Amino acid sequence: MRLLMCGNVVIPSHRMGMEGVMEERGTIPFSLVQFPLWESLKALWSWRQDHVVDSWQSAVCGAFAGGFAAAVTTPLDVAKTRIMLAKAGSSTASGNVLSALHRVWRSQGLAGLFAGVFPRITAISLGGFIFLGTYDQTHNLLLEVGRKSS
């Protein structure tokens, strides 16, 4: 087994490169879009209202960031699903993401690459709202507790 390094994160991987990243369920490309966008949206909203966003506003930013990340990474999710469901020994089962994307494009076009995009956006937007809003609320609560105890 090899280790895939992504910043300070070490991910065990049987493959290196794009195949190794996709082996980890596509979470790295998704997170590379979602979290910087969430922080940027919060910063923009804070700047526009001239104070730090509230937790509900952070949750709204999380929903938009999650939905956008879901939309732009859908083709990678489609390729990952095709690879995971491929019969053992088939060329798709080899795990080549670009090859899987090309096969989908050739057989189904753009619609195939974005299959399931709307349910994916809906579910992940809701998750982004709940998770990132709760994270922000908890973060603020812990900061307040820390200030009171010092």
Side-chain angles (χ1 to χ4, degrees):
M1 180 186 302
R2 296 183 186 178
L3 297 178
L4 175 65
M5 297 292 293
C6 182
N8 293 333
V9 178
V10 179
I11 301 169
S13 178
H14 299 283
R15 298 184 195 98
M16 294 303 284
M18 187 60 155
E19 290 80 15
V21 169
M22 288 308 298
E23 186 174 288
E24 297 304 320
R25 308 284 192 269
T27 57
I28 293 173
F30 178 85
S31 295
L32 285 174
V33 176
Q34 182 187 30
F35 289 113
L37 182 57
W38 175 55
E39 291 293 344
S40 296
L41 290 171
K42 289 191 315 176
L44 178 62
W45 199 338
S46 295
W47 174 74
R48 299 274 284 168
Q49 68 184 8
D50 205 25
H51 66 84
V52 176
V53 294
D54 296 324
S55 294
W56 72 267
Q57 293 168 318
S58 178
V60 170
C61 292
F64 279 109
F68 181 79
V72 299
T73 60
T74 294
L76 293 175
D77 192 56
V78 168
K80 174 201 66 164
T81 302
R82 296 288 175 101
I83 290 167
M84 290 172 58
L85 297 177
K87 290 183 180 180
S90 70
S91 58
T92 303
S94 70
N96 187 316
V97 175
L98 294 178
S99 178
L101 287 170
H102 184 61
R103 277 191 204 90
V104 173
W105 172 259
R106 245 187 12 243
S107 64
Q108 297 174 307
L110 197 58
L113 290 174
F114 285 92
V117 70
F118 294 115
R120 181 172 156 81
I121 288 172
T122 302
I124 293 175
S125 292
L126 179 60
F129 183 90
I130 294 168
F131 173 76
L132 295 172
T134 302
Y135 170 83
D136 195 66
Q137 179 66 38
T138 304
H139 179 257
N140 292 338
L141 182 69
L142 291 173
L143 285 176
E144 189 175 319
V145 168
R147 273 187 237 126
K148 287 181 179 179
S149 67
S150 22

